Amino acid sequence: MGKDVIIACDFQSKKEVFEFLDKFKGKKPFVKIGMELFYSEGPQIVREIKKRGHKIFLDLKLHDIPNTVKKSMAVLSKLDIDICNLHAGGTITMMEAALEGLRRSDGTRPILIAVTQLTSTDEETMKRDLLISEPIEKVVMHYAKNAKKAGLDGVVCSPLEAEKVHEFCGKDFLTVTPGIRFVDSELGDQKRIMTPKDAKKIGSDYIVVGRPITAALDPVAAYMRCIEEFVD
Ligand code: C5P
């Protein structure tokens, strides 16, 4: 695993996602399924995409009491997903419980990564709404270290934080980074962005790319451009 491009399939229906994936013909890109698609189509959408031969990052960002997260992770693990995630803010105990829940009877489990602080939360919001007065970078690194302590495999973070996360948690600790844009593409609502080429340079392990691929005139060409810049 590692060094791959994950396409954020932020579609609402099975019809839309399959129309999109059909464009890739023989290619089997790594796919991210988020809450929108999962809540509208249910777990069957995961089984069907998996059956078509794609690896799956199920981005449901769990955050609840440890027992509930453990049991929910056990259910998700049965879907044969490759990566799933939770909020590091749920505490080390919750993350440890999640890992226990994910372990399958044959000893395997999906990769588990933690969301540190959402990229939509800035320092000002953290102070005002959450009463967290530490600098955001310190908070992100603290959450990353907690995830590592709990035994998780890595974190979802901004590509701008990836290098530091590797410094704090080791090179093998995965950094999965959204907020990716080509030099010539629209920013949309993303603020802290990086190109696939620069994400490779700073050592990001997986890039998550949505609109630069899904909204492109030629999504397959846009995907191949990501692969050329980030993987090859
Ligand atoms: O379209 P775009 O490339 O901005 O999509 C990025 C994807 O990564 C979206 O599915 C978004 O929800 C997700 N994501 C993010 N920032 C985070 C965590 C997840 O953009 N911190």
Side-chain angles (χ1 to χ4, degrees):
M1 298 290 267
K3 294 294 169 211
D4 207 348
V5 175
I6 303 178
I7 305 181
C9 283
D10 293 324
F11 299 105
Q12 261 187 11
S13 69
K14 175 175 156 172
K15 185 173 173 284
E16 283 173 282
V17 75
F18 283 172
E19 268 171 21
F20 173 76
L21 291 176
D22 282 345
K23 296 186 173 136
F24 288 82
K25 304 269 167 8
K27 294 182 186 70
K28 299 288 175 194
F30 207 129
V31 161
K32 178 170 91 72
I33 299 176
M35 292 185 223
E36 192 182 350
L37 186 60
F38 190 81
Y39 292 150
S40 64
E41 293 289 347
Q44 192 55 22
I45 191 73
V46 178
R47 295 187 190 98
E48 288 186 32
I49 295 178
K50 191 78 199 184
K51 214 162 125 195
R52 286 173 160 233
H54 298 270
K55 282 186 180 156
I56 293 177
F57 168 17
L58 188 57
D59 180 18
L60 298 182
K61 302 186 181 74
L62 274 68
H63 189 166
D64 208 317
I65 59 169
N67 185 52
T68 302
V69 169
K70 180 178 168 179
K71 287 181 171 168
S72 307
M73 285 296 188
V75 174
L76 296 183
S77 191
K78 288 196 190 103
L79 288 173
D80 196 22
I81 49 174
D82 299 280
I83 304 181
C84 58
N85 62 359
L86 43 60
H87 275 284
T91 74
I92 294 179
T93 313
M94 187 202 79
M95 291 192 270
E96 287 170 342
L99 264 188
E100 267 180 55
L102 276 183
R103 220 155 270 129
R104 303 183 182 112
S105 52
D106 63 0
T108 64
R109 66 162 174 83
I111 286 175
L112 180 60
I113 56 179
V115 176
T116 52
Q117 276 295 341
L118 291 170
T119 41
S120 52
T121 309
D122 59 14
E123 207 161 291
E124 181 51 37
T125 318
M126 242 176 35
K127 262 189 208 136
R128 192 190 56 230
D129 294 1
L130 309 175
L131 286 185
I132 299 173
S133 51
E134 300 286 352
I136 193 157
E137 190 184 282
K138 193 172 169 194
V139 176
V140 168
M141 295 310 146
H142 181 67
Y143 280 17
K145 281 195 270 180
N146 282 353
K148 176 149 173 130
K149 236 184 249 169
L152 268 66
D153 305 293
V155 287
V156 185
C157 64
S158 153
L160 302 165
E161 291 153 2
E163 219 168 358
K164 198 127 204 187
V165 168
H166 279 143
E167 222 174 86
F168 275 73
C169 300
K171 281 264 171 284
D172 294 339
F173 195 64
L174 299 174
T175 51
V176 179
T177 60
I180 301 293
R181 292 292 179 268
F182 295 122
V183 271
D184 50 356
S185 63
E186 297 273 326
L187 296 192
D189 52 357
Q190 294 284 15
K191 293 190 178 93
R192 306 176 64 220
I193 51 140
M194 203 178 263
T195 64
K197 199 173 176 179
D198 287 340
K200 180 183 183 171
K201 267 191 220 144
I202 53 90
S204 170
D205 296 289
Y206 292 90
I207 52 171
V208 176
V209 190
R211 287 159 291 178
I213 296 177
T214 55
L217 283 176
D218 185 344
V220 181
Y223 170 69
M224 291 316 292
R225 184 174 173 193
C226 284
I227 294 281
E228 275 153 30
E229 284 194 28
F230 183 72
V231 184
D232 293 345

